[in-house]
């Protein structure tokens, strides 16, 4: 069994990678649709990622992806995703790919790595056997727009709090709101606790650029008071599967909470999408398990729980080394 690096994957290698994802999805569907080949292709061609495949008889049977957000040497955790065809598990392939990816992680100077996996799947004991610890539990939610009562969204938008204005933009944040949006993103303490990184205008723009490079569309609605972003919500509409959009970040800064700003900006987003992107029929999101307020907001809007997942983290020094060596 050979492990190869895919610096510039060919069409055939992308198809093989996709076949591994489809095989894993068939064993662990979790209610989500299977990925489309076009989505896999666009994802693999994205920047800031390294790819490996375990190959048998010329075909990939296991794959590993290492993302290095922020560019070379950034002081941020890496992100790893390892998938092994069900029939090839418990043969050491996952550990071998983990060791190869860990070398790339350490070579870039990263101190830790994050992995998100579905609860109750074989990925959980695999990660825990390699020193990963669950740092965040997530509830996967889905909103069917066809199930919304017709007057629900307009009523929520009309009931917005006094003293605030709704603004919206597509793509990168306008310069006048960049710093304020970064401060609002710092209100998402659930991620900051283990990422350990503050948001700034450069990181906000970097995220928007990554979405644009994939060919997807980023929509943002914010509640502002003067030049302050009191709360905001983001939606990404995939280019190849616009029927199901993805909820990205939503946050309300502490001093503006208790005024229903969260549900206001989310309702305004739904109103905007209905006019701008009527092809969107579903919205999926992950909600931090300990964020009871945002979970209540989502459920009030009509989101329903679909799955549970966990964010795992491990120190780079604790990950396997190639050939069983250690520093």
């Amino acid at each position: 069994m050979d492990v190869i690096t895919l610096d510039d994957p060919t069409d055939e290698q992308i198809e093989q990678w996709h076949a591994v994802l489809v095989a894993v999805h068939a064993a662990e569907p979790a209610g989500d649709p299977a990925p489309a080949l076009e989505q896999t292709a666009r994802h693999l061609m994205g920047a800031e990622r390294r790819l490996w495949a375990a190959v048998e008889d010329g075909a990939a049977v296991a794959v590993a992806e290492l993302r290095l957000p922020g560019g070379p040497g950034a002081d941020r955790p890496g992100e790893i995703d390892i998938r092994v065809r069900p029939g090839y598990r418990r043969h050491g392939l996952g550990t071998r790919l983990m060791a190869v990816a860990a070398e790339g992680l350490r070579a870039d100077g990263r101190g830790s790595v994050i992995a998100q996996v579905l609860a109750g799947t074989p990925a959980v004991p695999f990660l825990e056997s390699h020193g990963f610890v669950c740092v965040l539990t997530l509830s996967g939610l889905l909103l069917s727009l066809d199930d919304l009562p017709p007057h629900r969204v307009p009523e929520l938008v009309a009931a917005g709090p006094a003293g605030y204005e709704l603004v919206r933009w597509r793509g990168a944040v306008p310069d006048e709101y960049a710093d304020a949006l970064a401060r609002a993103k710092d209100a998402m303490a659930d991620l900051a606790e283990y990422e350990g990184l503050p948001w700034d205008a450069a990181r906000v723009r970097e995220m928007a650029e990554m979405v644009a490079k994939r060919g997807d569309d980023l929509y943002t609605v914010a509640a502002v008071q003067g030049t302050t972003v009191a709360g905001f919500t983001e939606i990404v509409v995939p280019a190849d599967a616009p029927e199901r959009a993805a909820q990205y970040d939503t946050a309300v800064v502490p001093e503006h909470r208790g005024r229903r700003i969260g549900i206001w900006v989310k309702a305004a987003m739904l109103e905007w999408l209905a006019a701008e992107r009527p092809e969107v029929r579903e919205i999926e999101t992950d909600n931090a398990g300990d964020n009871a307020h945002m979970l209540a907001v989502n459920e009030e809007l009509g989101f329903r729980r679909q799955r549970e997942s966990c964010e795992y983290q491990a120190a780079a020094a604790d990950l396997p080394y190639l050939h069983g060596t250690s520093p």
Side-chain angles (χ1 to χ4, degrees):
M1 189 81 64
D2 296 324
V3 172
I4 62 174
T5 302
L6 306 179
D7 291 326
D8 187 13
T10 65
D11 290 344
E12 181 181 2
Q13 289 170 333
I14 291 173
E15 289 174 1
Q16 291 184 11
W17 188 294
H18 181 70
V20 173
L21 299 187
V22 170
V24 172
H25 178 273
E28 307 158 6
D32 291 336
L37 176 59
E38 294 80 5
Q39 290 174 294
T40 300
R42 287 191 300 109
H43 179 80
L44 295 182
M45 301 308 291
E48 299 178 342
R49 68 187 74 241
R50 298 186 62 188
L51 311 172
W52 297 269
V55 178
E56 181 180 72
D57 297 329
V61 298
V63 295
E65 173 187 353
L66 175 66
R67 294 180 291 276
L68 300 170
D75 185 21
R76 292 166 61 176
E79 301 169 7
I80 196 168
D81 185 17
I82 297 175
R83 310 289 182 96
V84 181
R85 279 182 174 271
Y88 288 84
R89 292 171 180 170
R90 296 188 174 277
H91 290 81
L93 292 180
T95 297
R96 189 173 174 188
L97 286 170
M98 177 76 76
V100 172
E103 288 299 303
L105 182 76
R106 289 187 284 260
D108 196 61
R110 307 279 171 145
S112 66
V113 65
I114 294 167
Q116 181 175 331
V117 297
L118 288 171
T121 63
V124 171
F126 169 73
L127 290 176
E128 291 178 349
S129 71
H130 289 93
F132 281 76
V133 176
C134 182
V135 294
L136 184 67
T137 58
L138 298 165
S139 295
L141 309 177
L142 185 69
L143 172 65
S144 173
L145 299 184
D146 293 333
D147 293 340
L148 284 173
H151 301 296
R152 180 65 174 143
V153 168
E155 289 172 353
L156 287 171
V157 173
Y164 297 88
E165 177 187 2
L166 287 171
V167 297
R168 64 193 192 189
W169 59 84
R170 180 175 175 176
V173 57
D175 289 345
E176 61 265 34
Y177 296 118
D179 290 329
L181 180 62
R183 288 192 291 270
K185 278 181 172 281
D186 270 333
M188 299 181 297
D190 50 356
L191 293 180
E193 284 175 3
Y194 68 91
E195 281 194 355
L197 293 166
W199 281 88
D200 57 20
R203 189 178 174 195
V204 168
R205 293 190 179 98
E206 174 197 330
M207 187 276 285
E209 289 170 2
M210 290 177 62
V211 172
K213 286 178 181 177
R214 298 198 308 260
D216 300 339
D217 289 320
L218 170 65
Y219 294 84
T220 304
V221 173
V224 302
Q225 191 175 67
T227 59
T228 297
V229 172
F232 72 95
T233 191
E234 299 168 331
I235 289 285
V236 170
V237 180
D240 294 325
E243 298 83 9
R244 178 178 283 201
Q247 174 77 65
Y248 271 38
D249 295 338
T250 300
V252 178
V253 300
E255 56 267 35
H256 295 274
R257 290 174 183 168
R259 302 170 194 179
R260 291 180 61 81
I261 289 175
I263 200 166
W264 187 40
V265 294
K266 280 177 170 283
M269 175 67 78
L270 295 180
E271 188 174 66
W272 187 19
L273 289 178
E276 184 90 359
R277 301 297 298 265
E279 66 271 33
V280 174
R281 305 316 311 151
E282 295 178 322
I283 298 174
E284 61 181 352
T285 188
D286 284 321
N287 206 135
D290 59 354
N291 191 343
H293 176 72
M294 193 54 66
L295 185 59
V297 167
N298 283 330
E299 291 183 340
E300 182 179 348
L301 273 175
F303 280 88
R304 296 294 176 259
R305 301 191 193 212
Q306 298 289 304
R307 65 185 185 279
E308 297 293 327
S309 59
C310 297
E311 294 274 5
Y312 276 84
Q313 187 172 28
D318 294 338
L319 299 180
Y321 285 76
L322 289 172
H323 312 299
T325 61
S326 59

